[in-house]
Amino acid sequence: MDQRTKINSRKREPLSPGRIVQAAFEVIGAEGLAEFSTRKLAQRLGCEAMSVYHHFPSKAHLMDALVDSAVASLRPIPPDFDFIAGQRFAAFEYRAMGLRFPAFFPFLSVHRMNTPKALAWLNAMIGAYRKAGFSDRDAAHYFRQFGYYIIGAVLDETAGYARGPSTAAPVPFEVMKRDFPNVLSAGPHFAKGEWRRIFELGLEMELEGLTSALAAARS
């Protein structure tokens, strides 16, 4: 199917919030978050920009819908999991979600998470800490601290090393070998094939801390 046929096919499909959100993820994935616009989204959908605004009154409303859609893809913690197993499950779910929407994740990572579906997820997550035995204050603090690690790790995987070198003039190999040998030796172990292992190492360290904190809270 050529591009013209695809556009004509899209024009025949009824516009809906779900279809707009899916197309928005596609545009962001193809062109990047900075280049995303309602005009480009409308072009992909084969419609006028005003048709998009009929469903979402502003770009901000659309971005909130993207947040809700991404968060809604997170599977809930199985009810038979204990607290630590549940947090491990939630961490891997969050990482998987970030990797499903890598171009969008930098926006999601700093969003206040106050959309309806995001609030439902937050409510369940914080509730798990309270149910486990943490005070309201400690539940908030430990959840937030745990989130710092998870978000930072996923952000680095999606918008850090995933982008490749960011320096305009990379340091020549011979200079690296002479002046920065430790960085050079670590380089292969920062490669994409190592990311999951690095994530797991950090996660288990976080969970060890949570286990100790939970024991203290229950004593």
Side-chain angles (χ1 to χ4, degrees):
M1 183 183 294
D2 61 27
Q3 189 63 27
R4 182 179 298 177
T5 303
K6 288 181 180 179
I7 292 173
N8 289 336
S9 176
R10 290 192 185 108
K11 285 181 178 179
R12 289 192 296 270
E13 294 176 27
L15 209 57
S16 67
R19 186 172 159 234
I20 292 170
V21 165
Q22 179 59 40
F25 279 130
E26 291 171 2
V27 174
I28 292 171
E31 303 198 26
L33 195 59
E35 298 300 319
F36 177 67
S37 68
T38 307
R39 178 183 60 81
K40 290 181 178 180
L41 173 59
Q43 287 177 345
R44 190 173 193 88
L45 289 164
C47 68
E48 298 294 329
M50 289 307 298
S51 298
V52 174
Y53 289 125
H54 175 73
H55 294 274
F56 298 101
S58 70
K59 184 179 177 181
H61 286 84
L62 173 59
M63 298 304 285
D64 282 350
L66 296 182
V67 169
D68 256 358
S69 181
V71 173
S73 72
L74 292 166
R75 293 181 297 168
I77 296 172
D80 58 332
F81 278 23
D82 65 23
F83 175 70
I84 295 300
Q87 293 306 294
R88 183 181 290 108
F89 177 89
F92 277 110
E93 272 296 294
Y94 195 87
R95 178 178 182 262
M97 180 268 289
L99 297 181
R100 279 195 297 274
F101 307 102
F104 178 69
F105 188 77
F107 181 89
L108 175 61
S109 68
V110 294
H111 194 277
R112 285 295 299 275
M113 301 286 278
N114 50 4
T115 56
K117 290 179 182 177
L119 283 171
W121 179 80
L122 279 176
N123 190 66
M125 289 297 297
I126 296 171
Y129 282 72
R130 296 180 67 213
K131 183 178 180 181
F134 288 110
S135 67
D136 289 352
R137 181 176 184 268
D138 285 346
H141 287 186
Y142 283 117
F143 168 73
R144 190 89 184 267
Q145 185 277 328
F146 193 59
Y148 287 163
Y149 171 71
I150 306 302
I151 291 172
V154 179
L155 193 60
D156 190 50
E157 288 192 39
T158 56
Y161 272 84
R163 298 176 61 186
S166 54
T167 307
V171 176
F173 175 80
E174 289 305 317
V175 177
M176 288 290 297
K177 185 176 180 181
R178 183 191 69 213
D179 297 341
F180 312 111
N182 295 327
V183 178
L184 194 63
S185 65
H189 307 291
F190 289 156
K192 187 173 183 179
E194 302 285 335
W195 290 355
R196 182 181 173 91
R197 172 169 168 72
I198 294 169
F199 181 81
E200 289 175 342
L201 285 171
L203 177 59
E204 292 307 314
M205 292 172 67
E206 290 287 333
L207 293 175
E208 285 180 16
L210 268 180
T211 299
S212 297
L214 183 59
R218 289 174 172 175
S219 63

